[in-house]
Amino acid sequence: MIEVHDLVVLAEARWPEPGDGVPSGIPGFVESAFNPLAAAAAERCLERAGRPAGATGVVVVTAGDRVSAAAVQELVAQGKRVGPLFFFQSVPNSIAGWIAAKWDLRGPVVCVTDGGFDEAALLIGDGDADRVLIVQVAADEASAQIVSGGESV
């Protein structure tokens, strides 16, 4: 186990890893690979960590879904209607909430542009979560780590 910010990394995963192709799509999330990448890395990490005990928070670290933002910008520039799915999926909290709901994670859901380990340390230190799933998404890859304040969680 690796210790960072007095946290212990219990499991980690990436998408893609050797042999991976395009992650599976997610109903309600269209066009962009951002959300499927986040979900694939998170699910792989959660599978490796085993069933979470106690409250598990989710922290998504990202500069945002650039593909969806560009699609919305183009539609607006053309004077076309922007479908509601683009608004929903362009908010990184959407995939964080989807992951939390699918895995029945009972901790807080937070999105930041950097400082995922700092945010996880705060959530654990304040007693809001026993463990935190940190998902980082950039361009065409994502990584995820499950962290805790100690080995026994």
Side-chain angles (χ1 to χ4, degrees):
M1 291 185 209
I2 304 166
E3 289 193 37
V4 178
H5 291 74
D6 295 327
L7 299 176
V8 176
V9 177
L10 303 174
E12 54 191 338
R14 302 189 71 71
W15 194 282
E17 290 181 351
D20 287 338
V22 175
S24 298
I26 303 170
F29 294 94
V30 296
E31 205 166 313
S32 171
F34 178 92
N35 294 298
L37 283 168
E43 290 183 10
R44 181 174 277 166
C45 186
L46 287 160
E47 288 169 355
R48 290 177 181 170
R51 198 74 181 136
T56 301
V58 179
V59 174
V60 173
V61 183
T62 183
D65 179 356
R66 300 294 185 210
V67 172
S68 291
V72 168
Q73 182 179 14
E74 181 65 26
L75 289 169
V76 170
Q78 294 174 6
K80 294 183 178 177
R81 180 181 175 274
V82 178
L85 286 180
F86 276 116
F87 173 75
F88 166 77
Q89 81 174 21
S90 66
V91 179
N93 275 351
S94 297
I95 196 59
W98 185 90
I99 292 165
K102 180 174 182 185
W103 285 85
D104 196 28
L105 306 178
R106 302 292 178 153
V109 171
V110 180
C111 290
V112 295
T113 56
D114 61 16
F117 280 94
D118 293 335
E119 188 66 32
L122 285 172
L123 294 174
I124 292 169
D126 287 347
D128 294 326
D130 301 306
R131 301 188 328 174
V132 175
L133 170 67
I134 303 168
V135 181
Q136 298 182 47
V137 185
D140 57 354
E141 63 183 20
S143 63
Q145 298 87 21
I146 293 273
V147 300
S148 75
E151 291 182 42
S152 62
V153 176

